[in-house]
Amino acid sequence: MSSDDNTKGGNFIKAIIEEHNRSGRFDNRVHTRFPPEPNGYLHIGHAKSICLNFGLANDYNGKCNLRFDDTNPIKEEEEYVESIKENVRWLGFDWQDRLYFASDYFDQMYDYAVQLIKHGKAYVDDLAAEQIKEYRGTLKEPGIESPHRNRSIEENLELFERMRKGEFADGAKVLRAKIDMQSGNLNMRDPVMYRILHADHHRTGDKWCIYPMYDWAHGLEDSIERITHSICTLEFEDHRPLYDWFLEQLDVFHPQQIEFARLNLNYTVMSKRKLSLLVRDGYVDGWDDPRMPTISGLRRRGYTPEAIRDFSERIGVAKSNSVVDIALLEHCLRDDLNKRAMRVMTVLEPLKVVIENYPEDQEEELEAVNNPEDDTMGKRMMPFSRVIYVEKNDFREEAPRKWFRLAPGKEVRLKHAYYITCKQAIKNEDGEIVELRCTYDPKTKGGWSEDGRKVKGTLHWVSAKHAHQAEVRLYDHLFNTENPDNVQEGQTFTDNINPDSLKILKNCFIEPYLTKAKPGEWYQFLRQGYFCVDSKHTTHKYKVFNRTTTLRDTWARIERSGKKT
RNA sequence: UGGGGCGUAGCCAAGUGGUAAGGCAGCGGGUUUUGGUCCCGCGAUGCGCAGGUUCAAAUCCUGCCGCCCCAGCCA
């Protein structure tokens, strides 16, 4: 790969990498890692990081590791490890044989800590957590040194050894780096390296009762794996001096930490805390609810890995806090689905249409194109008969200006079928329209006429006799405000939940072909949107479809703007 | 005794002294058997503000202003 390819669509991280390649700092090697903590499910924000790390490795002919940063046994579980691996794989990335765990390095980290103690750069502190906090000082005042700061190396060595052996209770002692209690950077005020935690770890069991802190562990993990570029989010910028300090003291391989802005999206929330609250309090149907910004939610909603990767690329990478418009994500989705989704016909809110001049017992098979964007997807046959269903909102008793659809006296085209003209609308005793009586023009088979007569409206339909019933779930944004966290006093983000984020339609009709639809397939319901088979609620006999996203709807826009004026 | 970052269009974002890329959103128009797709066109005399250096400044200097992060034995 030439460097021209790399600079295209450049970002500041690529600039740094290229500078390193010029200077030879890492021998032209690029090795990144995606380092999740296995304490929750991945979301679209993680996807950005995954695409970034694996993407850079790919761009520069390097490698990217999948590494679980499992240094806190209290929060971490095996269940999350599996789901994270599955998500990364689904997104289309391959860590090959480089699956690592921070816990695999616990022995080595312990040895490094001993080394630091021997150099007089770390000490065991007996101060209680509360006291450590007091001694740390504040943002504007310096901290003060712990009375145990100047213990002898021998004593520190012995105490640390006894910590490891389990001679002390949780919280009784910690190992601290001896740096600078005066530092303006609080991270440098003798940060804790090890805490005592008599807890079972999901991988190391009860082998350890002391566990390394993030700042101590992370740089070592990177160094051990010979990571060249350790990419993390902005809030770790203040930690970089500490990251560098540890590696310098140890005189080991020293990766470059680079920080970028995490992804924020409007109309949703991204924090682990809020996401789990939505699940726990039943606002959504689990972590994979199609309205959730989790990878599993997006997947169940019908998002494609390609769309998510395209999105990651288009949003760019920078250091300024920003909120990306979710419309961009949706655009990427439509862009991908437009090319790959088979077109089918379904009627979501049915209105019966009787074609009066079509023979009672006649049926025919009409040819339908599967995807006008892709001829290789071929054609299929659709049954047609005297009674069909069309969409309720494709009929208006009084046609507004520029209305191309059905109305008394209006002629429209049934896609792939015939032109029909509306003769009469039949109402029930409540005044609701329950049936349309139409006539068809037998000379317009296939949906066109030799006389060149213009018919502007084209409708989707389904033959009543041949249709199958199905459930369709229409999803909208989970929140009805751009920034759900922007609340008045006494309110919480859940007060901004969109009450109409899920609409379930149980009386929908689908064309016969769709009875074969399987989870994992993408369809465009003609004129309505992209849909997929729901993997959770669909049974052998009962199909449930999720609306992935709508099509752009110019008519809705015209009506909306018309109402405003 | 405070430290670290960030400000380019409604939203992202390139740009690294030579006269403001691109995408999304929006608005017009064309094509169309999806009011879809596709195609064409439209937005910064200006880069947080004010000075300064220079033939030339979003880019360099000075001073302000605004926003974000940091006081876990979380990551």
Side-chain angles (χ1 to χ4, degrees), chain A residues 287-341:
Chain A
W287 285 93
D288 63 348
D289 184 289
R291 291 164 294 182
M292 290 283 272
T294 49
I295 306 287
S296 52
L298 293 168
R299 181 179 181 178
R300 196 172 143 209
R301 175 75 170 261
Y303 270 78
T304 63
E306 288 81 0
I308 294 172
R309 279 189 255 129
D310 183 33
F311 172 72
S312 295
E313 216 153 277
R314 294 203 201 203
I315 56 177
V317 184
K319 296 194 70 157
S320 64
N321 287 310
S322 58
V323 182
V324 175
D325 193 340
I326 198 161
L328 178 59
L329 216 209
E330 292 164 350
H331 168 83
C332 295
L333 217 215
R334 291 191 186 103
D335 197 39
D336 186 37
L337 257 18
N338 176 51
K339 286 175 274 178
R340 72 202 296 174

Side-chain angles (χ1 to χ4, degrees), chain A residues 237-449:
Chain A
E237 220 152 10
D238 285 346
H239 296 240
R240 180 156 27 96
L242 181 53
Y243 181 101
D244 291 336
W245 188 89
F246 281 132
L247 297 175
E248 266 165 41
Q249 298 307 315
L250 261 12
D251 193 27
V252 293
F253 179 77
H254 194 152
Q256 176 67 54
Q257 176 179 305
I258 302 169
E259 311 84 14
F260 74 102
R262 62 151 35 99
L263 171 67
N264 295 294
L265 268 185
N266 56 14
Y267 296 104
T268 191
V269 293
M270 213 76 98
S271 89
K272 224 168 260 182
R273 199 204 108 234
K274 286 170 193 146
L275 258 16
S276 45
L277 187 145
L278 292 172
V279 174
R280 191 197 62 203
D281 293 351
Y283 291 105
V284 295
D285 175 29
W287 285 93
D288 63 348
D289 184 289
R291 291 164 294 182
M292 290 283 272
T294 49
I295 306 287
S296 52
L298 293 168
R299 181 179 181 178
R300 196 172 143 209
R301 175 75 170 261
Y303 270 78
T304 63
E306 288 81 0
I308 294 172
R309 279 189 255 129
D310 183 33
F311 172 72
S312 295
E313 216 153 277
R314 294 203 201 203
I315 56 177
V317 184
K319 296 194 70 157
S320 64
N321 287 310
S322 58
V323 182
V324 175
D325 193 340
I326 198 161
L328 178 59
L329 216 209
E330 292 164 350
H331 168 83
C332 295
L333 217 215
R334 291 191 186 103
D335 197 39
D336 186 37
L337 257 18
N338 176 51
K339 286 175 274 178
R340 72 202 296 174
M342 175 171 171
R343 273 61 169 171
V344 291
M345 290 202 236
T346 68
V347 174
L348 270 30
E349 295 184 88
L351 173 60
K352 185 177 170 187
V353 173
V354 177
I355 301 166
E356 293 180 318
N357 58 339
Y358 194 90
E360 291 268 5
D361 48 4
Q362 184 170 315
E363 285 178 25
E364 56 189 315
E365 293 272 310
L366 270 12
E367 192 177 70
V369 170
N370 287 335
N371 186 349
E373 304 293 317
D374 183 359
D375 290 341
T376 67
M377 288 178 73
K379 295 172 178 172
R380 70 183 185 288
M381 302 307 284
M382 280 187 70
F384 185 81
S385 61
R386 188 169 193 264
V387 182
I388 61 171
Y389 292 113
V390 298
E391 211 66 56
K392 212 173 245 170
N393 64 13
D394 277 338
F395 174 81
R396 291 280 172 87
E397 216 172 352
E398 283 172 49
R401 250 171 64 81
K402 291 192 179 172
W403 177 258
F404 302 158
R405 286 116 95 147
L406 278 172
K410 285 263 197 180
E411 183 174 50
V412 300
R413 170 167 40 238
L414 296 176
K415 178 93 173 171
H416 301 312
Y418 294 97
Y419 291 179
I420 59 169
T421 302
C422 179
K423 297 297 179 187
Q424 190 198 166
I426 297 174
K427 296 180 183 176
N428 64 12
E429 54 271 24
D430 298 327
E432 294 163 6
I433 293 155
V434 293
E435 181 180 322
L436 259 31
R437 308 294 290 196
C438 297
T439 58
Y440 87 119
D441 179 350
K443 293 201 291 287
T444 57
K445 183 168 178 175
W448 61 282
S449 71

Side-chain angles (χ1 to χ4, degrees), chain A residues 172-191:
Chain A
K173 288 182 168 35
V174 291
L175 183 72
R176 290 229 253 171
K178 191 194 278 194
I179 308 180
D180 178 10
M181 291 306 291
Q182 322 281 313
S183 175
N185 181 347
L186 298 262
N187 295 121
M188 300 300 271
R189 318 238 264 228
D190 290 10

Side-chain angles (χ1 to χ4, degrees), chain A residues 215-230:
Chain A
D215 286 306
W216 166 243
H218 205 87
L220 294 179
E221 296 158 22
D222 289 337
S223 180
I224 290 165
E225 294 176 17
R226 316 293 284 182
I227 296 302
T228 56
H229 303 272
S230 176

